[in-house]
Amino acid sequence: MTIQEQYKTRVRELLSSGTVKMVIGYKAGTTADRRRPLFIRTPEEADQLLLDSACIANLSGYLIAEGLLSDEKRVGIFLKPDGIRTINILAAEAQLNIEQIIVLGFDITGQEVTALQGETAGDFSALIESIKEGAPEALKNPLIDQLEQLNPKERFAYWQAEFSRCIKCYACRQACPMCYCRRCIVDCNQPQWVNTSSHTLGNFEWNIVRAFHLSGRCVGCGNCDRACPVNIPLRLINARMAQEVLGSFDHLAGMSDTQEPVLASFKKDDSETFIL
Amino acid sequence: MTRILLSDKLDNCVARWRKAGLTVIGPVKKETFSSYAVVEKAAEFDLGLVLPDRSIKGLFFPQTEPMLEYTIKKQAIDTKDFAPPSDKRIIFGARPCDASGLAIDDPLFGWDYKDEYWFQRRNETVIVSIACTRADDFCMCTSLKLAPDSTKGSDVLLRPLQNNKGWLVQELTDRGREAFSQIADLLQEGSEPAAPTVVVAEKFNLDACVAWLQNPANFDSSFWKEISMRCIGCASCTFLCPTCHCFDFQDEGDTYSGIRRKNWDSCSFALFTMHTSGHNPRATQSARWRQRIMHKFNYFPGKFSVNSCSGCGRCSRQCPVDMGITETLQAISTLKP
Ligand code: SF4
Ligand code: SF4
Ligand code: SF4
Ligand code: SF4
C-alpha cells in the first residue's frame, strides 16, 4: 500500500471513530504540480486526499482560524517536521492546545515521501530535536554567503532593489502560520506606527518589521517566500535571522511546546542592561 | 496588402519613439520576475512571455501616489497639490487582457469624479498590444467574452506573422495612428499571413454565473464559505489584477506637516471594512471573497455594463492556495440559479 493509501485509511478511521472532527490535508490543484489545502470532515471526503512530494505548504496556520479549536474537539493535520515545529511554537505561545492536534506526520526527500511515526507533537520530539544538530548546515545558503561578502552599502543596495518590487500585499504575513496577530502592527492606525505606502521607506519598514517579528520563531517552511507575488527572496532573510539566533542564543524555534520564546522572554539575571 | 512591422526594425522604432520624447515601456523579465518596464533598446523586451507577472495597472494607477503636501503653521495651513506627472509613453507588447483591463476601469475612474491622475496617464499613453499565440492553463479571456486578439483598450493591435518575422499592424485610434506615423518609413507593405491566435477554451458559462449572482437568495448561500475556506486573505489576487482598483488615503507625517497619499487597498483585508467601533460588516474571509466576486460580476456590470475582469488569470496563477476567479465561477456555473 502506498503512503497515500495508508494515510487515507487512517484519516477515514480518525473521522469515523469520532477521534477528530476534521483533517486538514492536500488535494490536487489546477495544474499537475499544484496542491490545494483540503478540509476533510467525512470519511468519504478522504477520497480526494493526495500526498506526494508536491505537498510542501505548511498547513498549520489553518489550525488557529477563529473558532476552529474553541469547541475543544480534536483536529488532524498533515505536517512535515517544519509543521510540527510550528505547532510547538503556537502551543508555546498559547495560541493552541497541542492536545487537540493529531499529527499525520510525513517528510519529503527529493521525490520520495516517507511516513513519520507518531500521533501527537510530543511523539516526534526525538526527530525534532535532532534537527537542531543539523541546523547550522541546513541553514547554509550560498547566496547568503555571497551577500555576507558585500560591504553594508552594497548589501543595502541589494535589498533596496529587491524591496523596490514589494507591493505591500502582505501575502508573506498572511501565508505565515506565525503571523497570527489579530491586529498586525502595520494595521494599527491610532497612531499609524508603520507607513502603509508601498514606497522605498514603507517597503523597508514592513520587511524589517516582518524579519524581526519572525526572528527566533520562523521555522523556514517557505510559505511566505512562495506566496510573495513579486518573488522577493524572503527565505534568505529568514535563514540569516535563524543563523543569528542560533549562534547568539543557541536557540532553534519549535523544539518543544514549552520552549521559551527567545526574543520575548525576560530573565531578571540577564547580563544585558536593556531590553528591546 | 497590409502594413507590416518587421522584428528587426523594432530597435529603430524604439529609438525613434524615444527621440520623439516618448518613454518606451514593454514586457521585461528580470531573473525571477516579469513586469512592464521602461526600456532603452528593443532587446530588453521579452515578447515571448505569456504575460508579465505584474499587470499593466500600476503604470496608470501606481501602488502609492502623492496627492498633496500640507504644512500647518501658527496662523495658516499651506497645501501644495501634486499634479499628475506629465510623461508621454508608449507601451509596446501589452497583452490584450491587460489593455482591456484599462478600458474596463475607464468608466469607474470617470464616473462621479474624473480622476485626473488616471486620465492624464491614459491620454498620454499609447498602447500597442500583441495578439496572443500562446496561453497557459490560467488564461481565460474567452470566458469573459474577450479574445486573444481583443482590440479593447488598445491603440494599435499587432498580429504576429506566421513566419515569426514581425507583425501585421492594425491601427485603432488616433493616438495609435500618430505614434505609428513616426515610424511610417520603418513599416512595409506585405501580404504575409498572420499566425493563428491561440485557442483558449471557455472555462465557464458567464451568463449562468451572472444569473446566479443576481439572485438575492444566493447572497447568503453556504457556497461562499465552502469555496473560500482556504483563502488566507493575502490580497495578491487583487493587487495583481489589472481591473481591481480600490484605494485608501493616508496622511504620512505628523500634525504639522506631511503628505497625503493614495495607496492600493484590497477587499481581501479585514481592515478594509473595519469600522471605528470595531464592528466589521465583512467579518469573515468568505464575506470578503463574496464581495470580490459580487463586485466584479454583479455590482460593477450593474453600474457600468461591463464585468470587472478581463480574464488574464493572474488571480488564479499567483494564489498561494490555488484559488481564484476561475474555480469559483466554474463552481457557480454548475449551481441552480
Ligand atoms: S516567516 Fe516564512 S518561512 Fe518562516 S515560518 Fe513564517 S511563512 Fe514559514
Ligand atoms: S508578499 Fe512580497 S510583495 Fe507582498 S508584502 Fe510581502 S514582500 Fe511585499
Ligand atoms: S490570492 Fe488566493 S489566498 Fe490570497 S486573497 Fe486571493 S484568493 Fe485569497
Ligand atoms: S479577476 Fe483575475 S482573471 Fe480577472 S482580470 Fe483580475 S486577475 Fe485577471
Side-chain angles (χ1 to χ4, degrees):
Chain A
M1 210 169 20
T2 62
I3 289 185
Q4 180 175 297
E5 293 311 309
Q6 280 171 28
Y7 271 117
K8 268 190 196 169
T9 311
R10 188 151 160 228
V11 169
R12 288 188 195 110
E13 282 166 10
L14 285 171
L15 285 161
S16 50
S17 64
T19 313
V20 299
K21 64 168 179 178
M22 179 197 273
V23 174
I24 307 173
Y26 307 88
K27 68 171 183 173
T30 309
T31 55
D33 56 348
R34 287 193 177 208
R35 299 292 170 263
R36 286 177 185 171
L38 171 67
F39 305 94
I40 313 166
R41 282 151 298 191
T42 63
E44 296 71 47
E45 284 172 344
D47 295 352
Q48 299 173 54
L49 194 75
L50 222 150
L51 188 64
D52 61 14
S53 58
C55 299
I56 48 176
N58 181 356
L59 302 176
S60 42
Y62 289 119
L63 290 172
I64 47 176
E66 208 175 320
L68 180 66
L69 297 175
S70 52
D71 59 3
E72 298 187 1
K73 292 196 175 128
R74 288 201 179 85
V75 171
I77 182 164
F78 282 81
L79 295 176
K80 291 192 284 128
D82 54 10
I84 301 172
R85 286 171 62 196
T86 309
I87 62 168
N88 276 339
I89 299 172
L90 293 173
E93 295 181 354
Q95 297 306 308
L96 55 75
N97 172 5
I98 207 146
E99 308 287 315
Q100 274 177 269
I101 314 299
I102 301 291
V103 178
L104 295 125
F106 69 103
D107 206 355
I108 300 171
T109 15
Q111 294 297 309
E112 207 176 327
V113 182
T114 44
L116 300 178
Q117 299 309 319
E119 197 169 279
T120 57
D123 298 343
F124 303 90
S125 55
L127 167 81
I128 295 300
E129 278 157 28
S130 73
I131 294 174
K132 195 173 163 196
E133 288 147 44
E137 204 45 47
L139 289 171
K140 276 201 181 136
N141 181 315
L143 205 51
I144 293 182
D145 296 338
Q146 271 179 40
L147 290 172
E148 290 297 314
Q149 300 301 315
L150 303 176
N151 66 40
K153 220 172 146 186
E154 294 166 332
R155 204 157 44 235
F156 190 79
Y158 171 86
W159 286 111
Q160 187 161 12
E162 291 296 327
F163 294 154
S164 71
R165 293 200 302 274
C166 176
I167 49 176
K168 276 209 170 175
C169 59
Y170 303 131
C172 44
R173 173 187 74 185
Q174 295 304 105
C176 177
M178 241 63 79
C179 274
Y180 53 68
C181 292
R182 279 289 189 86
R183 195 126 188 209
C184 178
I185 182 82
V186 299
D187 288 343
C188 293
N189 48 12
Q190 292 292 343
Q192 184 83 53
W193 293 107
V194 181
N195 286 332
T196 65
S197 306
S198 173
H199 45 41
T200 312
L201 177 64
N203 292 350
F204 259 96
E205 282 175 319
W206 162 242
N207 278 284
I208 290 170
V209 165
R210 198 196 71 83
F212 269 91
H213 288 186
L214 273 310
S215 296
R217 302 172 66 239
C218 166
V219 297
C221 66
N223 270 16
C224 54
D225 190 275
R226 288 187 295 271
C228 178
V230 299
N231 296 342
I232 296 172
L234 299 171
R235 61 188 173 280
L236 300 180
I237 301 173
N238 301 331
R240 183 65 190 84
M241 293 312 276
Q243 288 175 342
E244 196 66 37
V245 170
L246 187 64
S248 306
F249 305 104
D250 187 35
H251 179 104
L252 190 71
M255 293 297 101
S256 80
D257 63 332
T258 53
Q259 186 187 36
E260 268 195 41
V262 69
L263 295 185
S265 49
F266 173 74
K267 288 191 186 73
K268 273 198 246 163
D269 57 353
D270 201 304
S271 57
E272 297 295 343
T273 54
F274 72 99
I275 49 172
L276 197 63
Chain B
M1 296 288 269
T2 9
R3 289 209 294 171
I4 284 176
L5 167 60
L6 291 176
S7 324
D8 58 15
K9 293 274 167 57
L10 187 56
D11 202 39
N12 293 343
C13 298
V14 170
R16 187 78 60 84
W17 285 320
R18 279 168 53 81
K19 215 170 154 207
L22 293 173
T23 303
V24 183
I25 296 171
V28 171
K29 186 167 167 82
K30 278 201 181 115
E31 285 160 36
T32 57
F33 183 69
S34 55
S35 60
Y36 292 99
V38 176
V39 301
E40 291 179 4
K41 293 202 167 333
E44 294 169 57
F45 289 139
D46 191 339
L47 299 174
L49 293 172
V50 169
L51 82 174
D53 295 331
R54 248 187 105 154
S55 83
I56 207 167
K57 166 174 79 181
L59 292 169
F60 298 84
F61 168 33
Q63 64 210 42
T64 179
E65 167 139 61
M67 315 290 293
L68 70 84
E69 204 171 31
Y70 61 88
T71 328
I72 301 177
K73 296 178 181 157
K74 267 214 173 98
Q75 299 292 337
I77 302 174
D78 287 347
T79 60
K80 189 189 117 199
D81 281 350
F82 284 89
S86 179
D87 183 15
K88 295 201 184 319
R89 310 180 293 184
I90 182 161
I91 302 178
F92 185 90
R95 284 302 175 201
C97 53
D98 270 333
S100 306
L102 298 173
I104 288 171
D105 274 356
D106 281 340
L108 179 277
F109 281 112
W111 159 54
D112 58 344
Y113 171 78
K114 201 162 187 282
D115 185 318
E116 64 260 43
Y117 295 83
W118 173 268
F119 284 106
Q120 173 152 335
R121 290 189 174 99
R122 286 287 281 138
N123 292 334
E124 288 188 347
T125 310
V126 186
I127 298 175
V128 183
S129 298
I130 300 183
C132 301
T133 51
R134 280 177 60 213
D136 69 8
D137 293 330
F138 299 95
C139 291
M140 54 163 194
C141 51
T142 49
S143 309
L144 274 304
K145 302 184 180 179
L146 290 163
D149 58 353
S150 286
T151 53
K152 190 173 178 143
S154 301
D155 296 302
V156 177
L157 180 75
L158 301 179
R159 291 169 189 277
L161 294 176
Q162 197 141 39
N163 65 16
N164 220 358
K165 288 193 171 143
W167 305 271
L168 291 183
V169 179
Q170 185 185 351
E171 290 155 335
L172 302 161
T173 65
D174 288 344
R175 253 198 316 255
R177 274 183 279 277
E178 200 204 317
F180 271 60
S181 71
Q182 291 160 351
I183 55 159
D185 58 310
L186 297 170
L187 301 176
Q188 63 185 68
E189 297 285 318
S191 53
E192 279 290 334
T197 54
V198 61
V199 178
V200 179
E202 229 176 273
K203 297 206 153 125
F204 47 81
N205 179 332
L206 184 62
D207 296 331
C209 292
V210 171
W212 190 87
L213 292 171
Q214 283 174 346
N215 180 351
N218 293 328
F219 190 79
D220 288 320
S221 165
S222 60
F223 168 81
W224 296 112
K225 207 167 163 214
E226 282 302 313
I227 197 79
S228 65
M229 221 169 147
R230 63 183 194 276
C231 174
I232 55 172
C234 75
S236 302
C237 51
T238 53
F239 281 10
L240 293 177
C241 175
T243 62
C244 276
H245 48 256
C246 288
F247 57 80
D248 183 27
F249 285 115
Q250 284 279 334
D251 287 348
E252 272 180 20
D254 55 30
T255 318
Y256 302 102
S257 67
I259 289 184
R260 175 161 297 174
R261 292 181 159 272
K262 179 176 162 191
N263 293 340
W264 284 357
D265 204 348
S266 167
C267 60
S268 302
F269 296 145
L271 197 65
F272 188 71
T273 44
M274 179 85 85
H275 292 181
T276 327
S277 64
H279 169 70
N280 195 340
R282 282 184 218 139
T284 58
Q285 204 57 40
S286 60
R288 293 169 212 136
W289 183 245
R290 174 182 62 199
Q291 164 63 21
R292 184 158 194 260
I293 304 287
M294 282 288 187
H295 185 208
K296 287 190 172 296
F297 303 101
N298 188 4
Y299 315 147
F300 196 93
K303 196 165 182 69
F304 302 118
S305 308
V306 58
N307 292 298
S308 172
C309 171
S310 68
C312 73
R314 284 188 182 86
C315 53
S316 314
R317 205 177 276 114
Q318 289 282 0
C319 173
V321 296
D322 198 44
M323 272 183 50
I325 296 280
T326 318
E327 182 207 13
T328 297
L329 293 195
Q330 273 172 338
I332 290 177
S333 57
T334 65
L335 301 173
K336 278 203 200 81

